[in-house]
């Protein structure tokens, strides 16, 4: 560790001295995961540059860099970038860090689901959602499994199985519609949203309103009876800050208001159309006016929420403004959406905006402007439609773009390497000296420990010559020596907290004590009731985690995981597997 710190400081000392003084600690740099994703919201190109720099500086591993790049691409409206995200994620599924870690598999599948959803590729969407549902079921993640069942139900309706899909959605909503945990409430809200999207596609708007109201009722119940909900949601468990919880509630409640505003607006317009065609009795105009008034009330609530000011919220609410005849407000919203799209307009979303603009302009009597928007819409729609039929070329373009990004990273790395050659040349002598010193002291320590172990073995050996001992005595002697050696190893691992190193390997212990892997395996088999080395280490980590959970209630789960040598995901998985509950549940029931 000392050597790595010296290497980092010497390697950046000459050419980037100002940066080092400005960013004295790695944790304070902008080249971190959170900083990159926050930057993406306002400046995607800047976020990618930060990501490249973070990978080159070593703040983020190459694997993690690929995951973040895929996450950024999956959020884009550009289909080419969405395809790049899918290609990166498909490659990551075969990576060792993913194949052996169910939590990582879930994260990659989530990105594949997001990218497929953005492309409206329902077949691929179904493939990844089904794969994640099976993985969650295997891992015993019941709530997350039902969350995926809601996705599958929605996709079934898109793929022509409307009745079956609605039945699965109803089953999921019914199963999740009860208190118990924040995670279950969140899954319930998502299942409701998936059914609402289906009902909107089927133009069954009257059914949307009571369904959205169930979301509001569940949120109200949570705020009134928080003790009925276990703190187990991955959306909220990472934070103890009340503002994060309020932001989540604001987001969920605002979306429900948006759904209700849109449904009432469509019912109002539907009533007006029916009235004009003499399909609706004149007396029902009162109901039509009531729908319009309700739509405006929910629209007011939506606009005054924090979520209502975001990019996705403005895209969501603009159609409701159009249905209510609020054309000036709708045009202002579309102006804002276009600014935030920042030129990313070669897609179906922008085509819909052009069509809506044409309708609004026509309603305002601006016929020439409406004609211009309609013509642009037709031209863009043709381009977008044609692109869907060029899948092979599109796939090639996506692959080329991914390779281009990789080459750009390599070029940046090469340039950075050239700029450091002089400083590294000056630093190499110092590094070699430090490395030699570390090696010398480590070897001296190993020899000392081996000698101490040998002294204990000699002192415990009977004075009679070995040839005078019988077979039973020799077996007993070997057993005692093995027990002493295991005791030394066990004591060292615990007293020096070697288990807290997440990268601890069996070979590290073998080299430390100068023994073979076979000998180490035999020691652990004889003195730990048959536990393997990883199982033995995990047991120590879990016992230490239990101690910290009970003795340090203010310590976060992330800090505890780091303290005992786990990642947060591994701590949660190993703890639940051994004790039958999550760390959060254990702490809650102390």
């Amino acid at each position: 560790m000392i050597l790595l710190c010296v290497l980092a400081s010497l390697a950046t000392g000459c050419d980037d001295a100002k940066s080092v003084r400005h960013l004295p600690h790695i944790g304070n740099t902008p080249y971190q995961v959170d900083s990159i994703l926050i930057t993406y919201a306002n400046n995607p190109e800047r976020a990618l540059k930060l990501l490249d720099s973070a990978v080159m500086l070593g703040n983020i591993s190459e694997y993690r860099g690929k995951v973040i790049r895929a996450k950024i691409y999956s959020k884009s409206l550009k289909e080419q970038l969405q395809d790049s995200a899918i290609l990166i994620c498909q490659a990551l599924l075969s990576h060792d860090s993913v194949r052996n870690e169910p939590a990582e598999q879930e994260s990659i599948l989530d990105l594949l689901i997001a990218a497929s959803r953005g492309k409206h590729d329902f077949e691929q969407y179904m493939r990844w959602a089904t794969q994640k549902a099976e993985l969650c079921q295997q891992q015993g993640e019941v709530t997350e499994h039902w969350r995926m069942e809601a996705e599958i139900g929605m996709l079934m309706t898109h793929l022509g199985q409307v009745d079956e899909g609605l039945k699965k959605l109803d089953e999921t909503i019914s199963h999740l519609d009860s208190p118990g945990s924040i995670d279950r409430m969140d899954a319930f809200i998502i299942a409701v949203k998936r059914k609402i999207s289906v009902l909107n596609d089927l133009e069954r708007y009257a059914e949307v309103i009571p369904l959205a109201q169930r979301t509001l009722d569940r949120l109200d119940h949570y705020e009134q009876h928080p003790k009925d909900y276990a703190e187990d949601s991955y959306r909220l468990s990472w934070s103890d800050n009340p503002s994060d919880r309020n932001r989540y509630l604001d987001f969920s409640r605002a979306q429900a208001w948006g759904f209700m505003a849109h449904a009432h607006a469509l019912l109002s317009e539907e009533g007006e159309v029916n009235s004009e065609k003499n399909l609706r009795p004149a007396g029902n105009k009162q109901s039509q006016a009531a729908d319009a008034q309700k739509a405006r009330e929910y629209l007011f609530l939506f606009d005054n929420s924090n979520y209502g000011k975001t990019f996705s919220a403005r895209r969501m609410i603009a159609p409701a403004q159009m249905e209510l005849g609020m054309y000036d407000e709708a045009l202002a919203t579309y102006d804002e959406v276009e600014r935030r799209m920042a030129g990313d307009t070669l897609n179906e979303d922008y085509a819909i905006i052009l069509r809506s603009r044409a309708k609004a302009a026509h309603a305002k009597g601006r016929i020439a402007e409406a004609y211009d928007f309609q013509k642009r819409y037709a031209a863009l729609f043709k381009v977008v439609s044609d692109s869907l039929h060029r899948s092979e070329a599109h796939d090639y373009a996506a692959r080329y773009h991914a390779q281009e990004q990789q080459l750009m990273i390599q070029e940046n790395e090469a340039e950075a390497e050239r700029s450091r050659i002089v400083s590294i040349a000056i630093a190499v002598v110092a590094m070699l000296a430090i490395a030699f010193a570390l090696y010398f002291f480590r070897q001296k320590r190993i020899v000392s420990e081996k000698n101490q172990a040998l002294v204990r073995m000699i002192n415990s050996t009977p004075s009679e010559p070995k040839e005078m001992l019988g077979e039973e005595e020799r077996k007993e002697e070997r057993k005692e020596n093995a027990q002493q050696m295991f005791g030394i190893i066990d004591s060292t691992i615990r007293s020096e907290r070697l288990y807290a190193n997440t990268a601890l390997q069996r070979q590290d212990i073998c080299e430390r004590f100068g023994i073979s892997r076979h000998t180490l395996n035999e020691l652990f088999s004889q003195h730990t009731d048959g536990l393997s080395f990883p199982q033995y280490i995990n047991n120590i980590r879990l016992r230490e985690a239990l101690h910290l959970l009970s003795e340090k209630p203010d310590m976060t789960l992330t800090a505890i995981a780091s303290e005992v040598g786990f990642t947060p995901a591994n701590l949660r998985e190993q703890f639940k597997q051994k004790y039958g509950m999550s760390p959060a549940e254990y702490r809650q029931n102390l």
Side-chain angles (χ1 to χ4, degrees):
M1 181 61 70
I2 296 174
L3 179 59
L4 291 175
C5 292
V6 173
L7 173 60
S9 61
L10 291 172
T12 58
C14 294
D15 292 339
D16 201 18
K18 292 183 180 178
S19 297
V20 171
R21 286 195 295 273
H22 182 62
L23 305 171
H25 304 293
I26 288 178
N28 294 333
T29 73
Y31 309 117
Q32 301 294 310
V33 176
D34 291 343
S35 299
I36 291 168
L37 293 179
I38 291 171
T39 302
Y40 172 79
N42 300 309
N43 192 333
E45 292 184 2
R46 171 65 176 159
L48 289 171
K49 290 178 181 178
L50 285 175
L51 175 59
D52 293 341
S53 300
V55 173
M56 285 190 293
L57 289 172
N59 290 5
I60 297 175
S61 67
E62 184 178 352
Y63 162 74
R64 189 57 57 190
K66 290 179 179 178
V67 173
I68 298 169
R69 186 177 300 280
K71 183 175 293 188
I72 291 174
Y73 286 165
S74 69
K75 294 176 181 292
S76 173
L77 293 177
K78 293 181 179 178
E79 192 170 354
Q80 183 173 328
L81 291 181
Q82 292 167 349
D83 281 347
S84 294
I86 290 172
L87 290 170
I88 293 171
C89 289
Q90 285 178 319
L92 288 174
L93 284 177
S94 61
H95 195 282
D96 288 343
S97 298
V98 176
R99 285 187 304 182
N100 302 325
E101 291 289 344
E104 289 293 325
Q105 289 181 45
E106 287 188 35
S107 297
I108 301 303
L109 289 171
D110 282 336
L111 293 179
L112 286 164
I113 288 169
S116 301
R117 181 168 56 229
K119 288 181 60 183
H120 304 292
D121 187 342
F122 298 124
E123 291 183 357
Q124 286 297 316
Y125 191 170
M126 174 70 87
R127 172 188 174 187
W128 304 123
T130 302
Q131 190 168 330
K132 183 179 176 183
E134 293 172 352
L135 179 62
C136 292
Q137 194 170 33
Q138 292 169 6
Q139 298 300 314
E141 299 174 358
V142 178
T143 302
E144 190 66 18
H145 169 74
W146 281 106
R147 198 192 304 266
M148 284 299 102
E149 287 292 297
E151 302 287 343
I152 293 169
M154 178 191 69
L155 290 168
M156 289 172 69
T157 66
H158 286 307
L159 295 172
Q161 303 175 46
V162 177
D163 292 338
E164 296 89 337
L166 285 171
K167 182 178 179 181
K168 183 176 282 290
L169 282 165
D170 287 336
E171 179 187 4
T172 302
I173 292 170
S174 176
H175 181 86
L176 295 170
D177 188 13
S178 63
S181 72
I182 295 176
D183 200 35
R184 181 185 294 176
M185 177 181 71
D186 181 61
F188 166 77
I189 292 172
I190 288 176
V192 167
K193 287 195 290 189
R194 297 299 177 259
K195 185 175 181 182
I196 286 175
S197 72
V198 172
L199 293 174
N200 281 329
D201 289 341
L202 297 174
E203 299 182 358
R204 290 159 58 171
Y205 309 122
E207 297 176 48
V208 169
I209 297 168
L211 201 55
Q213 184 61 50
R214 290 175 70 180
T215 295
L216 296 174
D217 293 342
R218 175 60 56 215
L219 293 169
D220 290 342
H221 186 273
Y222 166 66
E223 287 191 304
Q224 295 164 11
H225 308 280
K227 292 184 179 180
D228 292 347
Y229 297 80
E231 303 283 340
D232 65 347
S233 174
Y234 70 90
R235 289 181 182 268
L236 296 174
S237 62
W238 53 269
S239 174
D240 296 325
N241 190 339
S243 65
D244 292 322
R245 193 173 305 276
N246 293 336
R247 192 157 42 243
Y248 170 78
L249 295 173
D250 175 86
F251 163 77
S252 300
R253 189 171 276 120
Q255 281 204 327
W257 288 333
F259 292 137
M260 297 176 84
H262 189 237
H264 277 295
L266 286 166
L267 288 172
S268 170
E269 185 193 43
E270 187 179 84
E272 183 177 349
V273 170
N274 289 341
S275 179
E276 290 175 357
K277 294 182 178 180
N278 295 320
L279 298 176
R280 184 174 185 175
N284 282 340
K285 286 187 176 181
Q286 185 176 358
S287 176
Q288 172 191 332
D291 279 325
Q293 179 60 30
K294 280 287 186 182
R296 287 186 171 85
E297 290 174 4
Y298 287 120
L299 190 60
F300 176 80
L301 292 171
F302 181 90
D303 285 336
N304 284 278
S305 68
N306 290 324
Y307 171 71
K309 300 174 178 60
T310 65
F311 174 56
S312 60
R314 303 322 296 164
R315 291 173 62 199
M316 172 186 179
I317 208 61
Q321 294 172 327
M322 291 288 295
E323 304 299 341
L324 290 170
M326 301 167 61
Y327 297 118
D328 290 332
E329 292 86 345
L331 288 171
T333 299
Y334 284 130
D335 286 339
E336 183 181 354
V337 170
E338 281 193 54
R339 282 196 302 273
R340 296 195 188 185
M341 290 176 78
D344 189 3
T345 56
L346 191 61
N347 52 66
E348 187 177 352
D349 291 309
Y350 189 64
I352 294 172
I353 290 175
L354 289 174
R355 184 178 60 185
S356 299
R357 280 187 173 281
K359 179 181 176 181
H362 186 273
K364 299 290 288 183
R366 302 199 292 263
I367 306 303
E369 186 179 346
Y371 175 74
D372 180 63
F373 280 128
Q374 186 65 30
K375 187 167 63 174
R376 288 172 59 189
Y377 160 73
L380 179 57
F381 186 77
K382 184 178 185 306
V383 171
V384 173
S385 298
D386 289 346
S387 69
L388 296 177
H389 300 291
R390 295 196 296 268
S391 58
E392 185 175 348
H394 194 80
D395 182 67
Y396 175 79
R399 291 179 185 276
Y400 175 79
H401 182 77
Q403 292 174 355
E404 186 181 54
Q405 291 292 326
Q406 188 62 33
L407 287 173
M408 186 180 298
I409 292 174
Q410 292 174 356
E411 288 175 3
N412 290 337
E413 289 176 346
E415 184 178 350
E417 187 64 25
R418 285 192 296 270
S419 68
R420 294 176 184 168
I421 288 177
V422 175
S423 58
I424 290 176
I426 296 172
V428 68
V429 175
M431 287 192 298
L432 288 173
I434 292 172
F436 177 77
L438 290 174
Y439 177 78
F440 174 77
F441 285 114
R442 184 182 179 192
Q443 290 299 111
K444 185 175 180 180
R445 183 175 181 178
I446 291 173
V447 170
S448 175
E449 289 176 350
K450 288 173 63 178
N451 288 341
Q452 290 174 12
L454 289 172
V455 167
R456 294 189 188 97
M457 292 169 61
I458 291 170
N459 290 337
S460 64
T461 302
S463 58
E464 292 86 352
K466 289 190 177 181
E467 57 269 16
M468 299 293 292
L469 299 175
E471 182 63 27
E472 291 300 323
E473 287 81 354
R474 283 196 293 271
K475 285 183 179 178
E476 186 63 28
E477 178 188 2
R478 286 195 295 270
K479 182 178 179 181
E480 290 179 2
N481 292 341
Q483 187 170 3
Q484 289 176 359
M485 179 58 75
F486 175 77
I488 294 169
I489 294 172
D490 180 73
S491 175
T492 302
I493 290 173
R494 294 174 187 272
S495 62
E496 297 186 15
R497 301 186 74 254
L498 299 182
Y499 60 84
N501 178 9
T502 57
L504 181 66
Q505 299 290 329
R506 196 191 321 260
Q507 189 61 33
D508 297 331
I509 302 301
C510 292
E511 292 177 359
R512 177 77 176 266
F513 293 96
I515 59 178
S516 67
R517 291 172 65 91
H518 176 73
T519 300
L520 184 66
N521 290 339
E522 283 195 342
L523 287 174
F524 277 92
S525 177
Q526 294 171 5
H527 297 90
T528 63
D529 295 329
L531 292 179
S532 67
F533 179 74
Q535 291 170 332
Y536 158 80
I537 292 296
N538 280 346
N539 277 353
I540 295 178
R541 289 169 172 166
L542 289 170
R543 282 196 292 272
E544 182 64 18
L546 275 175
H547 172 74
L548 294 174
L549 284 166
S550 59
E551 297 299 325
K552 297 187 177 181
D554 295 332
M555 197 171 184
T556 66
L557 296 182
T558 300
I560 290 175
S562 176
E563 182 72 14
V564 303
F566 277 132
T567 64
N570 279 343
L571 173 60
R572 185 165 54 253
E573 180 181 354
Q574 295 286 344
F575 198 97
K576 190 167 187 178
Q577 183 177 346
K578 184 172 180 65
Y579 300 114
M581 63 177 70
S582 69
E585 291 170 335
Y586 172 80
R587 174 175 275 176
Q588 186 180 18
N589 289 280
L590 284 174

